Amino acid sequence: MKRNTWQREAVREALGTNEGFVSAQSLHSTLRETGSSIGLATVYRALADLAVEGEADSLQSDQGESLYRACTPGQHHHHLICRNCGLTVEIEADAVEAWAHRVAADNGFTQASHVVDVFGLCATCTAQAAAAQVAPAPASPL
Amino acid sequence: MKRNTWQREAVREALGTNEGFVSAQSLHSTLRETGSSIGLATVYRALADLAVEGEADSLQSDQGESLYRACTPGQHHHHLICRNCGLTVEIEADAVEAWAHRVAADNGFTQASHVVDVFGLCATCTAQAAAAQVAPAPASPL
DNA sequence: GTCCATAATGAGAATCAGAATCAACGCGCC
DNA sequence: GGCGCGTTGATTCTGATTCTCATTATGGAC
């Protein structure tokens, strides 16, 4: 039987208030900062559970950390992620789904699953980067 | 200046003789088994260099390990990977490239890059799995 | 061929994310 | 309210990867 604990709820809520992907470690710090006495192991367990139940998406950061984010349950989708601020947009990819299955079948593969994530700079961060371009770091003047 | 050492060459060669993705750890063991005295740190450095130079592809396994594989340099491509035996097929994905850029642009994102990998069971492993189905592990007989 | 500066190496320590352990706690059912 | 057992959290452990630093050996100059 699955029990409903405030810790699990706190993790779910903390995840929901975040618009981008967060690591288990930083989610734990955040919860501790809000006065919660939740343990790190519990955060890991709760996140793993949420991911299994389809209430959270997970992906690996460049550094190999697992990052999590609340998502629409029971629906397969992909992400468009700002590599600067972490802003995440859920995108549908029916075309890519079909393509992935076709490619797999063409090569004799069965039980195809796929990882499709798009990284970029969101409009805000693009604007900021453009502003920074006004005073770029000078190249070696030699 | 980049120097040419036999260690770096050994890593490149070991990577090339492998048809699937291998972890740094197992590549190191393999090299030691062949009598090489190469160090683990060196294997990591060599793999990181190869990845930067585009001579190797890397991805994260389920367990968070970094896996590497020799690849055609200077060419963007994706992978169809057998989740049982690790067999890897390079696939082209022009359609997906275009789709990724369009989706990014539609959402105001710039500098789009993407991660597209397809996992499945290769023909061989599918056949093996089917054979195993003949004598499945019995469910609880109660 | 020899010399030299320095990039690269390798053994081991350090670091870090995450999993495992286990006694204590507390939720849900009776 | 009592009980059983699922959950928690402090701690320890593990395993991958990175860092450190003395040593080695490459490649260019001569």
Side-chain angles (χ1 to χ4, degrees), chain B residues 57-120:
Chain B
D57 279 323
S58 68
L59 60 82
Q60 304 272 337
S61 78
D62 287 347
Q63 293 82 38
E65 270 179 302
S66 288
L67 304 180
Y68 296 87
R69 177 175 181 272
C71 75
T72 328
Q75 194 185 339
H76 186 69
H77 51 252
H78 302 287
H79 298 104
L80 175 56
I81 303 152
C82 176
R83 70 167 72 89
N84 185 49
C85 70
L87 172 73
T88 303
V89 179
E90 288 190 8
I91 52 184
E92 289 188 17
D94 292 342
V96 175
E97 309 278 320
W99 166 85
H101 278 88
R102 195 175 58 247
V103 165
D106 284 353
N107 287 275
F109 278 58
T110 58
Q111 300 179 31
S113 64
H114 52 275
V115 175
V116 174
D117 286 307
V118 183
F119 296 86

Side-chain angles (χ1 to χ4, degrees), chain A residues 88-114:
Chain A
T88 303
V89 179
E90 288 191 9
I91 52 184
E92 287 187 18
D94 291 343
V96 175
E97 309 279 320
W99 167 84
H101 278 88
R102 196 175 58 247
V103 165
D106 284 353
N107 287 276
F109 278 58
T110 59
Q111 300 179 30
S113 65
H114 53 273

Side-chain angles (χ1 to χ4, degrees), chain A residues 2-16 24 27-28 30-32 34-50 53 55:
Chain A
K2 264 256 182 309
R3 290 180 182 172
N4 244 344
T5 61
W6 65 265
Q7 288 95 337
R8 206 167 287 255
E9 202 51 45
V11 169
R12 191 197 311 265
E13 196 174 312
L15 210 57
L27 202 65
H28 177 239
T30 306
L31 285 165
R32 298 293 281 226
T34 63
S36 165
S37 65
I38 194 169
L40 181 57
T42 304
V43 173
Y44 275 105
R45 278 186 290 244
L47 286 174
D49 281 355
L50 288 173
E53 290 160 16
E55 292 191 58

Side-chain angles (χ1 to χ4, degrees), chain A residues 61-120:
Chain A
S61 77
D62 287 347
Q63 293 82 37
E65 271 180 302
S66 289
L67 304 180
Y68 295 87
R69 176 173 182 275
C71 75
T72 328
Q75 194 185 341
H76 186 69
H77 51 252
H78 302 288
H79 298 105
L80 175 56
I81 302 152
C82 176
R83 71 167 70 88
N84 185 50
C85 70
L87 172 73
T88 303
V89 179
E90 288 191 9
I91 52 184
E92 287 187 18
D94 291 343
V96 175
E97 309 279 320
W99 167 84
H101 278 88
R102 196 175 58 247
V103 165
D106 284 353
N107 287 276
F109 278 58
T110 59
Q111 300 179 30
S113 65
H114 53 273
V115 175
V116 175
D117 285 307
V118 183
F119 295 87

